[in-house]
Amino acid sequence: VVNSVALGINIDNPGDINDFYRIGKKLGEGNFGSVAKAAVKATGAVRAIKTIPIPPTKDERRLDFLRHEIKISKMVDHPSIIKLFEVFENNKKLHLVLELCRNGDLWEYMKSSSAGSSGLSEFDSAVVMQQLLRGVHYMHRSFICHRDLKAQNMLLTFKSKPPTTSTKSQPKTSLGKVAALLATATSTADNKESPFENSIRITDFGLSCNFNHG
């Protein structure tokens, strides 16, 4: 473990990331960095590597975002939250080694043809919300506030190919029925497993913070 001069936080691995990972296809790119698929050289385990150029020291706002993202990501360990394995710093770039989520984010899925014109079924919606609320409950019990929860920050990792839903319109559901669905959602409905079971991963902790009890 070494200390990052730019960020003032501990970096897990002082070595060169290319000595430990085979970095492959780029999966996406945004304003603040890119994400590529990678494999651990020693084991073949598949990962996602988020590469972020380290901002100049005068850009304190972006530096704070990075500090918070790394600090909070290291603190959390929950099935509904993306896992950060380790962090590298090479050539003025940070490399975050993350759990690979193969199916994009919930927002893109909802806009795609896979979701159909009616969106998710009531049961699948309940399964998604149950995972989200479990993750939020865990964070709040750990005195962490995410502060940027939205569909774009919920990644999907389906066990098999992404599910499709009917394009027929679905009847509206009362608030009471929604509450009942959330309370009783399990991995089976009408003897069928929901494809969304264990599929949600909360990500992006740049705006997160710790808070005091009470």
Side-chain angles (χ1 to χ4, degrees):
V1 177
V2 297
N3 190 265
S4 168
V5 175
L7 297 178
I9 59 174
N10 288 334
I11 299 298
D12 302 298
N13 197 323
D16 188 327
I17 191 169
N18 294 290
D19 292 337
F20 299 89
Y21 292 88
R22 287 189 296 273
I23 301 176
K25 178 183 176 182
K26 185 179 289 187
L27 301 176
E29 191 165 8
N31 293 331
F32 300 113
S34 61
V35 178
K37 185 177 179 180
V40 181
K41 286 186 175 181
T43 65
V46 181
R47 301 283 187 258
I49 294 181
K50 184 176 182 179
T51 299
I52 308 167
I54 297 175
T57 54
K58 63 181 180 181
D59 194 345
E60 191 60 33
R61 185 168 179 266
R62 281 189 61 198
L63 287 170
D64 272 343
F65 283 168
L66 281 175
R67 291 188 191 105
H68 283 304
E69 180 164 9
I70 294 170
K71 175 186 173 184
I72 300 297
S73 295
K74 284 183 173 183
M75 292 173 60
V76 294
D77 184 12
H78 188 273
S80 296
I81 300 174
I82 195 165
K83 184 172 181 60
L84 173 66
F85 292 98
E86 58 181 335
V87 180
F88 291 78
E89 182 179 357
N90 301 128
N91 301 321
K92 298 183 179 180
K93 292 181 179 179
L94 282 174
H95 305 281
L96 280 58
V97 181
L98 300 159
E99 174 185 6
L100 177 66
C101 296
R102 303 172 183 272
N103 303 107
D105 62 53
L106 183 60
W107 175 253
E108 290 299 326
Y109 176 82
M110 292 299 297
K111 292 196 302 179
S112 73
S113 58
S114 298
S117 61
S118 59
L120 303 184
S121 69
E122 290 177 357
F123 180 75
D124 286 340
S125 298
V127 170
V128 168
M129 286 302 299
Q130 187 184 64
Q131 292 170 77
L132 172 62
L133 293 174
R134 283 174 175 168
V136 171
H137 177 67
Y138 166 83
M139 287 188 285
H140 289 181
R141 287 193 63 183
S142 303
F143 306 111
I144 296 167
C145 184
H146 188 281
R147 301 202 299 179
D148 196 22
L149 286 173
K150 55 188 177 183
Q152 292 94 326
N153 288 339
M154 298 176 206
L155 299 182
L156 294 168
T157 179
F158 296 118
K159 295 177 183 177
S160 56
K161 66 179 182 178
T164 57
T165 59
S166 171
T167 58
K168 295 180 180 179
S169 61
Q170 298 174 8
K172 293 184 178 180
T173 305
S174 68
L175 289 176
K177 188 175 180 182
V178 169
L181 281 165
L182 284 171
T184 60
T186 63
S187 62
T188 57
D190 298 327
N191 297 320
K192 291 179 66 177
E193 182 178 350
S194 169
F196 288 89
E197 189 73 25
N198 299 319
S199 69
I200 295 293
R201 302 291 186 274
I202 299 169
T203 188
D204 199 345
F205 288 88
L207 292 175
S208 62
C209 68
N210 294 104
F211 62 89
N212 295 322
H213 178 66

